């Protein structure tokens, strides 16, 4: 409760219920291991392919270099003679250059995010490949290796480290 407000409506879920639901997910993963491994490898391949981002960065860097040369030429002209509307032209070029810098920063953030998600997917894939057939598995280590987070709602939604979601209903 918050300062006498309404009681939170999220139900209480015990660790035992979470681990039982997790065990069911692991059993499903084991039963479909070849398909899960194949899908995870495809996700990993996509995450590791940075060619589109690399091409975008190369294009942005070239555009930035061209604008920098325009700025340099404008400043040189201004040094030799007064250029009409110099301040406005300079500000416009500077704005364009800053937009490119922002896009390059966003691309760098995207690269870092993809690298992080690829590492998570690699860990998930390695763990799935090692799962033994036909055993009931409820270990904390396995849970930590496979699950990123659990959301409590109508059921339990497990956000797996490979980015997929698996919901187990009727857990309360």
């Amino acid at each position: 409760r918050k300062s006498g407000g309404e009681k939170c409506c999220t139900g209480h879920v015990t660790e035992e219920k979470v681990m039982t639901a997790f065990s069911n997910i692991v059993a499903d993963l084991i039963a479909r291991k070849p398909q899960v491994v194949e899908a995870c490898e495809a996700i990993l391949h996509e995450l590791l392919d940075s060619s589109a981002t690399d091409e975008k960065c190369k294009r942005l860097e070239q555009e930035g270099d061209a604008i920098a040369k325009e700025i340099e030429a404008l400043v040189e002209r201004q040094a030799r003679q007064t250029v009409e509307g110099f301040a406005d032209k300079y500000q416009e070029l500077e704005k364009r250059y800053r937009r490119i810098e922002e896009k390059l920063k966003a691309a760098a953030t995207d690269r870092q995010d993809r690298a992080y998600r690829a590492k998570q997917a690699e860990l998930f894939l390695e763990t799935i490949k090692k799962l033994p057939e036909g055993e009931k598995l409820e270990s904390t280590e396995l849970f930590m290796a496979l699950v990123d987070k659990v959301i409590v709602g109508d059921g339990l939604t497990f956000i797996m480290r490979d980015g997929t979601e698996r919901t187990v209903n009727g857990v309360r």
Side-chain angles (χ1 to χ4, degrees), residues 56-70 93 96-97 99-100 103-104:
K56 180 180 179 180
C57 287
K58 184 178 175 182
R59 193 178 70 252
L60 287 168
E61 288 168 355
Q62 289 171 344
E63 192 176 330
D65 290 346
I67 292 171
K69 287 178 183 175
E70 284 184 62
L93 289 170
R96 286 174 46 204
Y97 190 80
R99 281 193 297 259
I100 289 170
K103 289 178 183 178
L104 283 168

Side-chain angles (χ1 to χ4, degrees), residues 23-105:
S23 180
N24 293 335
I25 290 172
V26 171
D28 180 56
L29 290 172
I30 290 171
R32 299 180 316 104
K33 188 191 268 189
Q35 297 92 334
V36 172
V37 168
E38 183 180 329
C40 195
E41 286 173 342
I43 290 169
L44 188 56
H45 177 73
E46 183 180 319
L47 287 170
L48 293 173
D49 181 10
S50 64
S51 58
T53 303
D54 294 344
E55 185 59 38
K56 180 180 179 180
C57 287
K58 184 178 175 182
R59 193 178 70 252
L60 287 168
E61 288 168 355
Q62 289 171 344
E63 192 176 330
D65 290 346
I67 292 171
K69 287 178 183 175
E70 284 184 62
I71 291 172
E72 188 179 309
L74 180 65
V75 169
E76 285 178 15
R77 279 196 323 259
Q78 177 67 16
R80 283 183 269 129
Q81 64 187 30
T82 303
V83 175
E84 189 175 318
F86 171 80
D88 291 338
K89 290 176 185 175
Y90 185 86
Q91 284 178 348
E92 177 56 35
L93 289 170
E94 186 178 39
K95 270 194 237 179
R96 286 174 46 204
Y97 190 80
R98 288 185 197 271
R99 281 193 297 259
I100 289 170
E101 283 182 326
E102 288 171 12
K103 289 178 183 178
L104 283 168
K105 284 181 188 175

Side-chain angles (χ1 to χ4, degrees), residues 2 12 18 27 59 71-72 117 122 124 144 149 161:
K2 267 189 166 178
H12 176 73
V18 171
R59 193 178 70 252
I71 291 172
E72 188 179 309
R117 291 185 305 157
E122 283 176 345
F124 183 88
M144 298 301 290
K149 60 185 168 186
R161 292 201 183 274

Side-chain angles (χ1 to χ4, degrees), residues 121-135:
E122 283 176 345
L123 175 62
F124 183 88
L125 182 59
E126 288 172 18
T127 304
I128 291 296
K129 285 180 176 179
K130 293 176 187 174
L131 289 177
E133 304 288 329
E135 291 184 30

